[in-house]
Amino acid sequence: MEKIKMQTPLVEMDGDEMTRILWQMIKEELLMPYVELNTEYYDLGLKKRDETDDQITVDAAEATKKYKVAVKCATITPNHARMDEYHLKKMWKSPNGTIRAILDGTVFRAPIVVKGIEPCVKNWKKPITIARHAYGDIYKNSEMYIDKPGKAELVFTGDDGEESRALIQEFKTPGVLMGMHNLDASVESFARSCFAYALDTNQDLWFGCKDTISKTYDARFKNIFQTIYEQEFKDKFEQAGLTYFYSLIDDIVARVMKAEGGFIWACKNYDGDVMSDMVSSAFGSLAMMTSVLVSPHGYYEYEAAHGTVQKHYYRHLKGEETSTNSVATIFAWSGALRKRGELDQNSELAAFADKLEKATIAVIEGGKMTKDLALITTLENPTVLNSRDFILAVKEELEKLL
Ligand code: NAP
Ligand code: MG
């Protein structure tokens, strides 16, 4: 077969540890034999980030603006232990944080549903995608412990000197106090990303917050979503036969448990933090999740939801066998290649991405999987494969489909 051509490059961001090993295997075995891979390569491995004073991360994000599609390997976010391990000049910031700050946007995470890895919630038949707002609220707060009687007030001083005040509480006994905020612009771009992604993936959008209790703060989220829906998306949703559904967060939670899935659940920052862990663990594992950052300007960055799987890497370095799940990393590549195909009207490339995913799922449903899945599968007598053999099993299946 002739290799599939790519007109436009996509941005390739390499990473660290075990996922860097998987990255190379996936390229060599599953991509390069079939696709004339056209990527602009950025090495976000920690060593290179340190050498370039993290400029490489900024460059990779800027390149994503240029080419609109990126695929990213998991990367180390340095802490004190990593400073020593890699003799770093500085405790560099999280690359994901840096990239998100440059691209702006919302992270969408969806489980990869396969037969044999069954959700704990028996009526969930289709994936539930969580869209988490990644700015503000309690993640950017100010807090105090109050240890004596007194009055707590919310004070806003305008640049014009005008002051607004609201009483929070007259403390008679000790207690706690917190201030937080969000910005219209951030909520607007969150809403646009969610509506656009719903159209893109042909799924309904659900959003919940607590506007009955929080009549200004949460009501602002509700109103921004409603206004943007009516002004920019209602017609397109109706044409596509899709629904935008708002309800109170507790009602949404109850409905999610009774639903069969197949929709996007937009969550405020804290709700998304908590609910994405619930949804992902109920569906099986972080290694069976897709994750994509969608910016309101139409940039897409695909990644795996898990980390660099450090423990497996150290075993690999000692020459021991590993059984690391590469599914999320394979799907990061297939997601990016499909999007590249869609944007360039390259249907061959998009079809290849579909087949790569199909082959991956077929291997697991056929009873061959890595150890993490073998521990939770409902299939009897699964065959446990090592990291490379799993990828080779996908290759064998892929060749049947091509
Ligand atoms: P992790 O890499 O997600 O791994 C935690 C544990 O989860 C592993 O030890 C393994 O459990 C299991 N696991 C995760 N992914 C797996 C896979 N693909 N296949 C099989 N098992 C898998 O988290 P971490 O060890 O806490 O973090 C390691 C590094 O990753 C850190 O330096 C952190 O900064 C970075 N990180 C990066 C990203 C990102 O780039 N998106 C996200 C999170 C963390 P067992 O050991 O029990 O097999
Ligand atoms: Mg969390």
Side-chain angles (χ1 to χ4, degrees):
M1 147 193 171
E2 212 182 311
K3 285 194 196 181
I4 298 165
K5 302 260 183 320
M6 290 173 65
Q7 303 98 304
T8 323
L10 56 78
V11 177
E12 174 184 351
M13 306 182 191
D14 207 343
D16 288 300
E17 300 195 310
M18 198 60 211
T19 40
R20 189 179 179 101
I21 308 283
L22 297 178
W23 193 260
Q24 198 54 39
M25 287 184 200
I26 291 168
K27 281 175 65 181
E28 275 171 19
E29 302 295 346
L30 301 179
L31 304 176
M32 276 151 40
Y34 315 106
V35 179
E36 204 78 67
L37 255 198
N38 182 0
T39 72
E40 198 163 288
Y41 180 85
Y42 291 85
D43 183 1
L44 300 200
L46 187 50
K47 189 164 164 275
K48 190 76 181 180
R49 278 182 273 148
D50 195 50
E51 271 168 33
T52 62
D53 294 338
D54 210 21
Q55 184 60 35
I56 189 93
T57 309
V58 174
D59 293 346
E62 290 298 335
T64 306
K65 287 185 175 173
K66 180 168 167 201
Y67 295 116
K68 300 200 163 51
V69 184
V71 58
K72 180 180 170 293
C73 181
T75 45
I76 292 169
T77 298
N79 54 16
H80 286 289
R82 301 297 198 166
M83 293 281 289
D84 298 339
E85 185 184 351
Y86 285 82
H87 310 291
L88 300 179
K89 294 184 216 161
K90 230 176 111 174
M91 209 188 297
W92 305 108
K93 282 197 232 158
S94 149
N96 291 324
T98 302
I99 294 166
R100 263 171 231 166
I102 293 172
L103 300 181
D104 188 9
T106 304
V107 177
F108 294 87
R109 290 201 163 160
I112 299 161
V113 176
V114 297
K115 285 191 213 87
I117 312 295
E118 306 300 332
C120 308
V121 181
K122 65 178 187 302
N123 44 284
W124 287 0
K125 303 284 182 236
K126 296 182 205 160
I128 294 169
T129 303
I130 298 266
R132 175 182 169 187
H133 185 211
Y135 178 81
D137 301 352
I138 63 164
Y139 301 87
K140 212 170 177 330
N141 67 359
S142 290
E143 307 184 315
M144 274 182 207
Y145 177 64
I146 305 297
D147 59 0
K148 60 184 178 198
K151 185 162 76 170
E153 285 179 289
L154 205 55
V155 181
F156 172 76
T157 315
D159 285 345
D160 59 4
E162 200 177 299
E163 212 175 76
S164 336
R165 281 171 181 267
L167 177 70
I168 299 171
Q169 176 71 6
E170 301 260 13
F171 281 88
K172 305 264 187 289
T173 57
V176 283
L177 186 63
M178 174 165 79
M180 60 182 196
H181 83 286
N182 221 298
L183 299 172
D184 280 4
S186 176
V187 181
E188 283 162 11
S189 82
F190 172 47
R192 284 198 183 94
S193 296
C194 289
F195 288 122
Y197 195 70
L199 283 173
D200 217 29
T201 58
N202 204 36
Q203 298 184 85
D204 292 341
L205 179 69
W206 295 16
F207 176 51
C209 58
K210 199 70 185 177
D211 64 294
T212 45
I213 300 296
S214 170
K215 290 182 169 38
T216 302
Y217 199 114
D218 277 24
R220 189 78 196 144
F221 279 75
K222 178 189 175 181
N223 293 338
I224 286 175
F225 265 74
Q226 192 61 36
T227 306
I228 288 183
Y229 177 64
E230 278 165 18
Q231 290 178 353
E232 300 171 32
F233 290 96
K234 193 163 187 262
D235 293 346
K236 292 179 199 144
F237 265 58
E238 282 171 4
Q239 270 165 29
L242 298 176
T243 311
Y244 167 56
F245 174 59
Y246 174 83
S247 191
L248 289 170
I249 182 69
D250 38 353
D251 179 51
I252 293 274
V253 168
R255 286 171 188 263
V256 164
M257 298 312 284
K258 300 280 181 198
E260 68 160 31
F263 53 87
I264 295 165
W265 179 8
C267 289
K268 285 180 64 197
N269 210 346
Y270 174 80
D271 298 341
D273 185 351
V274 177
M275 293 304 166
S276 66
D277 282 17
M278 182 197 68
V279 169
S280 68
S281 59
F283 269 105
S285 119
L286 266 191
M288 295 296 287
M289 294 274 286
T290 62
S291 179
V292 55
L293 172 73
V294 179
S295 93
H297 319 289
Y299 317 133
Y300 297 80
E301 186 231 32
Y302 294 82
E303 55 167 18
H306 58 77
T308 59
V309 213
Q310 182 183 14
K311 283 191 205 139
H312 295 209
Y313 180 60
Y314 288 154
R315 261 179 252 150
H316 169 84
L317 286 183
K318 281 194 258 165
E320 291 171 23
E321 189 166 85
T322 58
S323 180
T324 314
N325 190 333
S326 49
V327 172
T329 308
I330 294 173
F331 273 65
W333 272 103
S334 58
L337 291 173
R338 184 187 299 105
K339 180 54 71 182
R340 183 77 280 163
E342 280 170 21
L343 293 179
D344 295 353
Q345 272 135 21
N346 182 343
S347 56
E348 244 193 314
L349 188 62
F352 173 80
D354 290 344
K355 286 174 190 163
L356 179 56
E357 292 181 0
K358 234 175 156 176
T360 309
I361 289 171
V363 170
I364 300 169
E365 293 186 342
K368 290 188 251 173
M369 57 196 78
T370 44
K371 193 173 151 198
D372 56 316
L373 295 185
L375 291 171
I376 57 169
T377 184
T378 54
L379 298 175
E380 277 172 40
N381 306 317
T383 309
V384 181
L385 299 180
N386 66 33
S387 306
R388 176 172 287 282
D389 286 348
F390 179 79
I391 289 171
L392 293 177
V394 173
K395 185 185 178 78
E396 199 181 311
E397 205 60 46
L398 177 63
E399 300 226 322
K400 289 186 210 159
L401 297 174
L402 289 173

